[in-house]
Amino acid sequence: MSSNAPKPTLRLDWCTHEAAKYAVEHWHYSRKLPASKTVRIGVWEGGLFIGCLLYSWGSNRNLPASYGVAQTQCAELTRVALRSHAAPVSRILAISVRMLRKQSPGLRVLVSYADPNHDHHGGIYQAAGWLYTGRSAVNEAYEVDGVVMHKRLLTGSSYGRKAPPMPVTAKRVVPMQKFRYVMPLDAAMRAQVAPLAKPYPKRTPCAGTSTRDGAPVEVGGATPTPALR
């Protein structure tokens, strides 16, 4: 394709649960939707559905309090599930934030995590102007078939009340702490969060990391995706 060829038209819109489920199962390493209620933003390029971004309350119920806000004023970007595409993920992310702010004017702060265990350092957040505020706490994790996953993805909180047995191939590991990024949505919150900002981390390749569907490895979310970050 010529470098001068027009890029396919990018469009973001609200998407169905079924569309989000398909995107996560095909283009996100977790293969699972978040357990909590989500806001689903679909992404189309050239008229083709290429994935979605999911915002939710996230798994840490104490997170909003750490910023002095109510739970309804804080959301977490928990999935970025995208197949190969032309538009920069930072642009897709920025558009999704504008949509979310318009839909939920009471929101004051967004949080997301980049997982170095999957070779993610948060490049898309850096490009989109999010603030890096340090590492998350160390959580219990397991490696299943070469993929490191938080215990929640393998047990109850991701499946509802009836949790399936731990996979026989699961091996407990000590994962690296995730990189935490914050996007304040009003001037007062930005002033509050700004002192917490730290220099952006640089990417450190993680052995054994691969791509899927031709998508870049770098992705994001509480439990990131192999597509774009």
Side-chain angles (χ1 to χ4, degrees), residues 203-221:
R203 183 170 186 167
T204 302
C206 180
T209 304
S210 61
T211 60
R212 295 181 63 251
D213 298 323
V217 178
E218 178 68 16
V219 306

Side-chain angles (χ1 to χ4, degrees), residues 160-178:
R161 293 185 177 181
K162 293 184 178 180
M166 185 72 71
V168 294
T169 57
K171 180 176 68 175
R172 187 172 182 177
V173 297
V174 179
M176 291 183 284
Q177 296 164 285
K178 296 177 183 178

Side-chain angles (χ1 to χ4, degrees), residues 4-228:
N4 295 323
K7 293 184 178 180
T9 302
L10 176 68
R11 181 173 69 89
L12 274 68
D13 202 347
W14 313 110
C15 71
T16 64
H17 175 274
E18 291 72 21
K21 185 173 185 292
Y22 179 90
V24 170
E25 290 180 348
H26 287 79
W27 305 316
H28 191 283
Y29 79 76
S30 72
R31 306 290 192 272
K32 302 182 189 304
L33 289 170
S36 60
K37 183 178 179 181
T38 60
V39 172
R40 305 176 298 272
I41 299 178
V43 185
W44 287 260
E45 238 182 20
L48 299 177
F49 180 68
I50 62 166
C52 69
L53 288 78
L54 303 182
Y55 291 89
S56 68
W57 280 338
S59 58
N60 183 359
R61 300 302 187 192
N62 297 318
L63 185 62
S66 67
Y67 297 103
V69 299
Q71 189 175 49
T72 55
Q73 296 175 308
C74 177
E76 186 177 324
L77 174 58
T78 47
R79 296 290 188 277
V80 176
L82 300 168
R83 59 164 297 160
S84 56
H85 56 85
V89 190
S90 56
R91 180 186 174 198
I92 294 173
L93 175 59
I95 295 172
S96 76
V97 170
R98 290 198 293 270
M99 291 176 61
L100 187 65
R101 293 182 70 176
K102 185 175 181 179
Q103 185 228 35
S104 304
L107 279 176
R108 299 195 61 207
V109 62
L110 301 176
V111 181
S112 193
Y113 298 88
D115 192 348
N117 298 285
H118 294 277
D119 197 24
H120 308 150
H121 74 299
I124 65 167
Y125 302 114
Q126 296 176 19
W130 290 49
L131 303 177
Y132 171 64
T133 61
R135 299 265 191 157
S136 66
V138 176
N139 293 307
E140 187 174 1
Y142 290 81
E143 181 178 321
V144 181
D145 300 328
V147 177
V148 177
M149 292 184 281
H150 191 281
K151 184 179 180 180
R152 285 190 302 272
L153 288 174
L154 298 173
T155 56
S157 62
S158 292
Y159 291 84
R161 293 185 177 181
K162 293 184 178 180
M166 185 72 71
V168 294
T169 57
K171 180 176 68 175
R172 187 172 182 177
V173 297
V174 179
M176 291 183 284
Q177 296 164 285
K178 296 177 183 178
F179 299 116
R180 182 177 56 249
Y181 287 86
V182 176
M183 171 54 75
L185 300 179
D186 59 57
M189 181 56 64
R190 179 166 290 278
Q192 176 182 325
V193 175
L196 305 176
K198 303 177 183 296
Y200 285 143
K202 297 181 179 179
R203 183 170 186 167
T204 302
C206 180
T209 304
S210 61
T211 60
R212 295 181 63 251
D213 298 323
V217 178
E218 178 68 16
V219 306
T223 22
T225 345
L228 316 74

